[in-house]
Amino acid sequence: MADASAYADNIKKYAKGYNQKAAEKIVGHLGIALRNRDSSLVSCSDQTELQRVRDKYCRNKLGLKEKNDEIDAAIGKICETLKPEGGNKSRVTFYYLLAEHFGKLDELAS
């Protein structure tokens, strides 16, 4: 199981609760991408990046069937929520909040 302890405090700042198993699955899914500072962060000002989050994470990993507009609105909401982080929006926290928004945490944890 991947170690999510380094991200727990950041997730807890923004999430309604904390599902450790779901966080560990997200960390495991991201794997070596978390070793590189650039790929460990989400840039809300980069539309290509946000499309990648929608297509690769929301569609492929979470299996969302919602319309692009609905997913994009959720991504925008997460960007707004994480605004206090400045340019340092943790990809783990970002993905966790998306999974929480769409009610997928328990599914990820199983």
Side-chain angles (χ1 to χ4, degrees), residues 11 47 49 57-60 81 85 104 107:
I11 291 170
Q47 289 305 310
E49 165 80 7
Y57 183 69
C58 293
R59 293 255 183 248
N60 293 348
T81 298
E85 300 292 312
K104 296 287 190 171
E107 195 175 302

Side-chain angles (χ1 to χ4, degrees), residues 53-54 56-64 71 75 98:
V53 168
R54 180 188 64 214
K56 301 291 183 193
Y57 183 69
C58 293
R59 293 255 183 248
N60 293 348
K61 183 66 179 164
L62 295 180
L64 298 180
I71 296 172
I75 290 170
L98 279 170

